[in-house]
Amino acid sequence: MLLFGVFNIYLPLVAQTSSTLKGTIKDTEGKGIAGALITIPDIKTSARTDTSGSYQLMQLPKGTFMVQFSAVGFTTENNLISLNGETVYHAVLSENIIERNEVVVTGTSIGTERRKSPTPIQTISLKELQENPAATLMEALTTVPGVSITGTGPSIAKPVIRGLGANRVLVISQGVRQEGQQWGDEHGIEIDDNDVSGVEILKGPASLAYGSDALAGVLNILPYEAIPQGESKGKIVSSYQTNNGLAMLHAQAGSNRKGIVWHASGSLKYAHDYRNAYDGTVFNTRFNNQNFGAAMGIHKPWGYSKLSFTSYRQTLGLAEGERDSMGHFLQTIRQHDTEAVITAPTNNGYAIAIPMQKINHQKWVWQHSQYFKNQHRLSATLGYQQNTRSEYEDVLAPQHPAIQLLLKTYSYDLQYILPQNRQWNISWGVNGMKQDNFNQGSEYLIPDYQLFDIGIFTLLSKQWNDMLLSGGIRYDHRNLQSRQLLDEDDQVHFQAIKRNFSNLSGSIGFSYSLPNTVLKVNLASGYRAPNIAELSANGIHEGTFRYEYGNPGLKPERSLQADGGIEFNTAHTHISASIFVNRMYDYIYLHKLTNAAGDDSIPVLNNEDSYAAFRFHQNQAITYGGELYMDMHPHPLDWLHVEQGFSWVRGVFLQAPDSMRNIPFMPAPKWHIGLRAQYKNGKNKWQDAYLRISLDNYFAQNYIYNAYHTETPTPGYSLLHAGVGMTLVNKKAAPVCTFSFTVQNLLNKSYQDHLSRLKYAPENYATGRQGIYNMGRNAYISLQFPLIFSK
């Protein structure tokens, strides 16, 4: 509130005359379209048409903005409109089955049409997320060609873009980079997946706009849906999953009235152990979440200002995979003040067993956009995150964490955006972060450290009739300092490290629009400084079944990627294809260490055997591949939706022997086929009904890093999914309840995803199978109830 008070004093000095945008949205026959949505992404405001198709947006700044006009079943129209006082614009939308013309903001200074952007960007909407449910938000994104996950059970998933993951994919939420010990393979993304309105996925280096850690791409998690002007509404969502008994309840409410915007939400989620045909009940894959958030903002002719807070709490079990001779999972329990190992229960209990993790992540974000009288704009985003990650592994001391990490992250992003001049859009900016990490447990994997990042950049774009040019240049500097740590025997566990990393990066791209077709080419450089674990790790990384050694001499990773793409769109067809080549310098990876006898190197701790040891190394590498996506509604069967997607990536080290030639842990090629029957809205109470069936074909992955038994091949498999959904409406055609029912892995296939960390769990001696298999058949049931307070 102090921030709002300060700006109430300052803003009249720069305030400008209020602008208004109003008009109508009609179809080609001149009939008004009720409920159509008008959105201005740069101002973060929207409105809906009334029953006659009329609309009005008020309290807008003066300037030129990309405005999007959309309605279900119609084309989406995007237009640059100059606002100055009262502006009238009438849009005419034609009927269209396929919608692939979104406005995106990832990696740009202003809203840009996705199909015209030279950088490879794809989007996934809230509707698509709801129709393709998954255990985590990251898993739901795997429907996008080129996107996969590194998973550790049903509650932990890390995004992978075109074969590159971990710290090479940057996740943006509420306008700031998500920071919660992101270096860990078994550290998930601490975001409430119920408070998401969509995701923008930028494939390829995005260091130009975001600096280090965006070498492979960016996931921009768009927050809750913006509430149109003059509305107050909310929703209640409940769902249940049969395989692991996941029960979820989510509620949210918000309002946008007279320039004051607020939003509040909360979620509860509980799951017990999941099952599959080979392993039965996989002990200690249970988890629970308690999340909430709130935001308040103000929209005026000078711009907008918003303060938001989110709290994410998760407790999750860590499956160790130890089994007896009969193949039953084992559990360590406390018995008469001593440890005892028993056969793990196979019931559906929700209580988390040791070993387990507790994550507590709070985030404050202030976003402010200031428009001046000369139409220049200053955009500022400041964030503070506090992440506490605790691991409990001693049943005799269940309240005392073995590893406890406290990470504090302060992030900043300032951009100065010039008004459009002769179709040029230019902006300058500076962004970065400061981090402080503290060990608070009795065991250590990484040292205490401090990090400071700063990047200075300029972004530009130019439109010539049907051609768009975009690009820019950036300079980054990172300083990282860690502290020396002595163990209980006064032996050095971590050496003190002081490293400085810097980089100059840039990109340039073109797109050319032809009738129904857009051609694209983009060249971009990427950069990633080694993270603290890669430099200094020395300890057991429980969730990944290995002992890790860092390498303090690592150099930063750099890459140069070339992309080419084509998009073809008609009223009934959308086809997109893209290819890429990514040359990477000093690629960082893990490989297993061996002893003098050629066996696994296994450090001994406290007179007990540990996991096999791994160490970080570097090599020169190249990745290449591509994606193909087709979305068709064969005329005249407009109700039938046929979708296909294919992705393939290959990664190799240069000048390496055969056993060390392949980059480890690259995703297998995937071919997705989907059929969806859509019921056109009629006069009955059930509308937007659909029936869909899809088949995901994962090909065998035999291109593996053989050396030191670091990686094992994975056979191919196919997963069949099906779903149905519909919306119940009242007499006024307003939605009352939305119902969906989906079955994933309909045939109960037993399989191991190539990127699953549980694939390397201990062997099941009863069957001879290595590791733990993925989840079996799982049915999702969801009910959503909209709440309309006023309109």
Side-chain angles (χ1 to χ4, degrees):
M1 297 307 294
L2 177 61
L3 291 171
F4 293 135
V6 170
F7 277 97
N8 282 334
I9 296 174
Y10 166 71
L11 292 175
L13 300 177
V14 293
Q16 51 185 292
T17 303
S18 173
S19 294
T20 301
L21 176 64
K22 66 179 183 179
T24 59
I25 300 181
K26 297 182 179 181
D27 60 22
T28 52
E29 296 180 354
K31 183 179 179 181
I33 303 174
L37 188 64
I38 306 91
T39 306
I40 309 179
D42 290 334
I43 310 177
K44 299 187 185 301
T45 191
S46 63
R48 290 191 187 276
T49 57
D50 59 21
T51 54
S52 66
S54 299
Y55 71 90
Q56 180 173 264
L57 285 94
M58 306 176 66
Q59 299 287 315
L60 305 178
K62 179 181 177 181
T64 301
F65 303 96
M66 180 70 71
V67 184
Q68 179 170 286
F69 303 87
S70 61
V72 177
F74 292 85
T75 57
T76 294
E77 180 180 323
N78 302 310
N79 276 296
L80 281 171
I81 299 177
S82 295
L83 304 180
N84 188 1
E86 184 175 293
T87 303
V88 178
Y89 186 88
H90 302 294
V92 178
L93 306 183
S94 58
E95 288 192 19
N96 197 359
I97 304 300
I98 293 177
E99 281 303 329
R100 294 289 171 184
N101 194 24
E102 310 88 344
V103 174
V104 295
V105 297
T106 305
T108 66
S109 58
I110 63 171
T112 304
E113 285 188 84
R114 184 204 58 77
R115 66 183 181 89
K116 292 183 179 180
S117 172
T119 56
I121 299 179
Q122 287 186 260
T123 62
I124 184 166
S125 66
L126 176 62
K127 189 174 188 296
E128 291 172 306
L129 291 173
Q130 291 172 338
E131 292 186 10
N132 297 276
T136 65
L137 173 62
M138 295 300 109
E139 186 178 344
L141 301 183
T142 60
T143 57
V144 176
V147 179
S148 47
I149 60 169
T150 297
T152 310
S155 61
I156 304 173
K158 302 278 284 188
V160 175
I161 296 179
R162 290 177 166 175
L164 303 178
N167 270 85
R168 300 177 184 90
V169 176
L170 187 63
V171 177
I172 303 292
S173 174
Q174 297 284 357
V176 300
R177 53 192 295 155
Q178 187 75 12
E179 290 292 328
Q181 308 292 354
Q182 302 304 110
W183 48 266
D185 282 348
E186 88 293 13
H187 300 167
I189 307 299
E190 292 90 17
I191 296 174
D192 185 356
D193 49 10
N194 293 290
D195 236 1
V196 173
S197 64
V199 182
E200 295 179 356
I201 303 167
L202 191 156
K203 302 175 184 177
S207 298
L208 174 62
Y210 301 102
S212 180
D213 302 349
L215 183 142
V218 175
L219 296 183
N220 186 8
I221 311 297
L222 305 178
Y224 51 86
E225 292 180 285
I227 299 174
Q229 288 186 6
E231 295 187 15
S232 298
K233 63 179 184 178
K235 64 180 179 181
I236 296 175
V237 183
S238 63
S239 65
Y240 181 77
Q241 299 181 22
T242 58
N243 187 291
N244 61 346
L246 192 156
M248 187 278 296
L249 180 64
H250 170 78
Q252 63 175 255
S255 176
N256 182 354
R257 305 182 70 82
K258 297 182 179 180
I260 303 298
V261 179
W262 65 267
H263 178 269
S265 65
S267 299
L268 296 173
K269 184 186 293 186
Y270 291 85
H272 58 64
D273 298 334
Y274 78 83
R275 302 185 301 276
N276 63 57
Y278 282 172
D279 298 309
T281 300
V282 181
F283 176 68
N284 213 25
T285 53
R286 56 196 73 173
F287 64 95
N288 61 66
N289 289 53
Q290 303 89 37
N291 311 318
F292 68 90
M296 178 167 285
I298 182 171
H299 286 248
K300 294 296 181 181
W302 47 259
Y304 64 87
S305 192
K306 184 180 77 169
L307 181 65
S308 61
F309 171 76
T310 57
S311 175
Y312 179 97
R313 293 175 179 267
Q314 183 181 62
T315 303
L316 63 146
L318 297 174
E320 294 188 299
E322 297 285 352
R323 286 176 258 213
D324 60 23
S325 60
M326 301 296 293
H328 302 129
F329 287 98
L330 298 175
Q331 178 186 10
T332 302
I333 64 170
R334 180 172 184 160
Q335 190 175 60
H336 306 300
D337 293 327
T338 61
E339 290 185 356
V341 179
I342 64 171
T343 300
T346 58
N347 57 26
N348 294 331
Y350 286 84
I352 312 295
I354 291 177
M356 66 178 177
Q357 277 190 2
K358 289 186 177 181
I359 298 105
N360 189 355
H361 190 106
Q362 282 88 40
K363 177 164 61 178
W364 289 90
V365 178
W366 176 58
Q367 294 175 291
H368 180 79
S369 187
Q370 176 69 60
Y371 292 84
F372 299 95
K373 291 183 179 180
N374 57 6
Q375 299 187 38
H376 291 231
R377 175 161 64 104
L378 177 64
S379 175
T381 302
L382 303 178
Y384 170 72
Q385 298 174 71
Q386 179 170 297
N387 181 279
T388 303
R389 183 177 299 273
S390 306
E391 290 190 5
Y392 300 82
E393 58 185 49
D394 187 353
V395 296
L396 301 180
Q399 303 302 319
H400 299 282
I403 295 177
Q404 182 164 290
L405 299 170
L406 172 62
L407 178 66
K408 298 181 179 181
T409 303
Y410 308 83
S411 56
Y412 60 94
D413 188 324
L414 303 174
Q415 289 192 54
Y416 193 77
I417 301 148
L418 300 179
Q420 187 180 86
N421 183 17
R422 297 181 180 180
Q423 300 297 310
W424 279 99
N425 294 293
I426 302 175
S427 66
W428 293 280
V430 55
N431 58 22
M433 66 177 175
K434 179 183 182 297
Q435 283 190 333
D436 297 286
N437 185 77
F438 307 94
N439 278 286
Q440 298 179 325
S442 57
E443 297 181 9
Y444 316 100
L445 181 59
I446 60 172
D448 294 351
Y449 73 89
Q450 291 182 328
L451 178 150
F452 181 75
D453 241 357
I454 185 170
I456 303 171
F457 62 93
T458 182
L459 304 173
L460 58 87
S461 65
K462 166 68 173 177
Q463 181 82 46
W464 289 281
N465 296 322
D466 295 324
M467 188 171 78
L468 176 67
L469 161 73
S470 71
I473 191 168
R474 177 189 180 101
Y475 175 76
D476 279 286
H477 179 77
R478 170 173 289 187
N479 173 265
L480 187 149
Q481 299 183 53
S482 69
R483 302 182 183 91
Q484 184 185 71
L485 187 144
L486 303 179
D487 59 23
E488 297 176 353
D489 299 324
D490 289 332
Q491 299 296 313
V492 176
H493 193 80
F494 296 115
Q495 295 281 2
I497 296 176
K498 183 176 182 180
R499 296 290 305 273
N500 289 284
F501 308 99
S502 59
N503 184 71
L504 185 67
S505 56
S507 74
I508 185 169
F510 299 89
S511 70
Y512 187 72
S513 299
L514 298 166
N516 300 326
T517 304
V518 179
L519 305 175
K520 305 179 182 184
V521 62
N522 192 68
L523 183 67
S525 60
Y527 149 76
R528 182 180 77 89
N531 62 47
I532 188 64
E534 293 166 338
L535 292 169
S536 61
N538 183 10
I540 297 174
H541 206 164
E542 289 280 357
T544 58
F545 307 102
R546 61 186 180 229
Y547 191 105
E548 293 181 1
Y549 290 108
N551 183 346
L554 293 175
K555 301 175 183 179
E557 292 181 339
R558 292 182 171 90
S559 72
L560 183 63
Q561 178 165 314
D563 284 275
I566 182 172
E567 287 198 21
F568 175 77
N569 294 277
T570 69
H572 296 270
T573 303
H574 168 83
I575 301 175
S576 64
S578 60
I579 58 173
F580 69 93
V581 177
N582 187 11
R583 174 66 165 89
M584 292 181 291
Y585 303 86
D586 299 310
Y587 180 86
I588 300 171
Y589 65 102
L590 272 171
H591 81 58
K592 192 181 290 186
L593 300 179
T594 58
N595 57 27
D599 299 323
D600 289 349
S601 175
I602 302 179
V604 177
L605 301 177
N606 300 324
N607 297 319
E608 294 183 4
D609 285 347
S610 178
Y611 294 118
F614 287 72
R615 182 179 171 84
F616 289 97
H617 292 260
Q618 288 188 290
N619 204 339
Q620 311 312 309
I622 186 170
T623 62
Y624 53 92
E627 299 95 32
L628 175 66
Y629 178 80
M630 294 185 291
D631 186 3
M632 295 177 288
H633 286 261
H635 189 69
L637 305 178
D638 295 341
W639 52 268
L640 180 61
H641 171 94
V642 182
E643 180 186 58
Q644 293 195 65
F646 178 77
S647 58
W648 175 79
V649 61
R650 180 90 162 85
V652 296
F653 291 119
L654 304 179
Q655 298 180 347
D658 288 344
S659 64
M660 303 172 67
R661 179 170 173 76
N662 299 306
I663 296 178
F665 306 113
M666 300 294 285
K670 179 183 176 182
W671 180 27
H672 168 83
I673 307 171
L675 296 175
R676 185 177 187 276
Q678 176 76 47
Y679 173 73
K680 290 186 177 181
N681 294 344
K683 297 182 179 181
N684 54 31
K685 295 183 177 180
W686 294 104
Q687 297 189 1
D688 295 326
Y690 69 88
L691 174 66
R692 66 177 186 85
I693 185 168
S694 63
L695 182 67
D696 288 330
N697 298 284
Y698 292 83
F699 293 80
Q701 180 56 287
N702 296 315
Y703 293 108
I704 63 170
Y705 192 91
N706 282 303
Y708 317 110
H709 307 290
T710 297
E711 186 181 16
T712 59
T714 302
Y717 57 91
S718 298
L719 302 177
L720 183 65
H721 318 295
V724 62
M726 59 198 70
T727 298
L728 173 66
V729 299
N730 58 24
K731 294 181 180 180
K732 297 181 179 180
V736 176
C737 173
T738 298
F739 163 80
S740 64
F741 177 74
T742 301
V743 182
Q744 302 278 46
N745 193 2
L746 186 63
L747 302 180
N748 201 27
K749 175 72 176 180
S750 295
Y751 69 98
Q752 288 178 319
D753 186 277
H754 186 68
L755 300 186
S756 171
R757 306 312 307 154
L758 296 182
K759 181 172 181 273
Y760 297 93
E763 179 183 348
N764 181 350
Y765 294 108
T767 63
R769 298 188 181 99
Q770 175 72 41
I772 297 172
Y773 282 68
N774 288 67
M775 186 181 291
R777 182 189 299 114
N778 192 17
Y780 299 72
I781 304 170
S782 176
L783 293 172
Q784 178 175 308
F785 302 91
L787 304 174
I788 306 297
F789 303 117
S790 63
K791 189 174 181 179

